[in-house]
Every structure is written in structure tokens, then in C-alpha cells.
């Protein structure tokens, strides 16, 4: 169990080191690896003495998780802003196209002077 906790600590630390520049794909990869480690941890049954011994390491992981969640929320906000821009662009385009109606024919009148 101690090795699994160390692996999770290392994985979290590596992401924290590059967190400011981490892209969505990197965070997503981290989450997949983290989920696999958690599945292993759920299958283990530590004794109370082991749990007490590993508590400081778990607390460090939780502190790192708070920073990672903050970055995930930042990436989500950035993605939402980009989606809003695309949506607004589509809305403006549709409004423009609807008001001028490309399907309708235009009539021009020439007058003689």
C-alpha cells in the first residue's frame, strides 16, 4: 500500500510542477492514471497502524489535489469562454443570413434619365 501511495504522490507532484502550463489532455491523462491507482487502493485493506502511518502522505496528496482542481476549473472556464465565442459567432451568422435571406431573389430597377 505504501508503494501505491508513493506512486500517487509522485504522479501528483509531477503534474503540480507543470500545472500552470498543463493543458486539458495532460490533466485528463493524470485523472485516468489516478483513477487506476485509486482502484488498486480500494482493493487494499490497511491496518489502523498502517493508515495512521500513511496519513501525512495522504494529506499531502489532498493538498496537491486542491491545486489540481483549481487548474481544472480554470481550464473549464477557458473552454466555456471559447464555446461561448463559437456560439455567439453562429448566432450572429444565422441572424445575418436570416435577415438578408439568401434564398430570396433580389430585384433591381434601372431608371432612365
Amino acid at each position: 500500500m505504501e508503494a501505491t501511495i508513493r506512486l500517487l504522490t509522485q504522479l501528483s507532484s509531477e503534474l503540480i510542477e507543470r500545472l500552470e502550463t498543463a493543458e486539458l489532455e495532460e490533466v485528463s491523462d493524470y485523472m485516468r492514471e489516478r483513477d487506476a491507482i485509486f482502484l488498486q487502493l480500494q482493493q487494499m485493506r490497511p491496518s489502523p497502524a498502517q493508515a495512521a502511518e500513511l496519513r501525512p502522505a495522504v494529506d499531502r496528496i489532498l493538498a496537491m489535489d486542491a491545486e489540481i482542481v483549481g487548474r481544472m476549473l480554470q481550464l473549464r472556464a477557458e473552454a466555456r469562454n471559447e464555446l461561448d465565442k463559437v456560439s455567439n459567432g453562429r448566432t450572429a451568422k444565422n441572424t445575418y443570413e436570416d435577415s438578408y435571406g439568401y434564398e430570396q431573389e433580389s430585384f433591381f430597377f434601372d431608371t432612365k434619365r
Side-chain angles (χ1 to χ4, degrees):
M1 179 165 216
E2 187 176 328
T4 309
I5 295 290
R6 254 188 276 122
L7 178 62
L8 184 58
T9 303
Q10 179 184 359
L11 184 66
S12 297
S13 296
E14 289 172 359
L15 182 62
I16 290 289
E17 287 176 8
R18 61 182 193 281
L19 191 60
E20 290 302 316
T21 60
E23 296 295 324
L24 183 60
E25 292 80 20
E26 293 177 75
V27 176
S28 179
D29 291 343
Y30 164 79
M31 291 305 293
R32 269 194 295 279
E33 292 178 43
R34 183 179 184 272
D35 287 344
I37 293 171
F38 268 97
L39 286 175
Q40 291 174 7
L41 286 172
Q42 287 175 346
Q43 295 172 356
M44 298 176 185
R45 301 286 179 231
S47 67
Q50 265 186 321
E53 182 182 316
L54 294 173
R55 187 70 190 169
V58 171
D59 289 339
R60 282 192 306 271
I61 293 170
L62 290 173
M64 287 186 277
D65 280 352
E67 291 181 50
I68 293 169
V69 167
R71 177 63 178 160
M72 290 170 70
L73 292 173
Q74 184 181 20
L75 289 171
R76 183 179 73 177
E78 290 173 9
R80 182 179 297 134
N81 287 338
E82 292 300 317
L83 287 174
D84 287 345
K85 285 180 188 177
V86 170
S87 178
N88 290 341
R90 284 184 184 151
T91 302
K93 180 183 173 195
N94 289 340
T95 302
Y96 178 77
E97 287 177 352
D98 288 345
S99 65
Y100 287 104
Y102 288 116
E103 294 85 27
Q104 297 176 356
E105 293 184 28
S106 297
F107 296 99
F108 293 98
F109 296 98
D110 289 331
T111 59
K112 289 187 179 180
R113 292 186 187 188

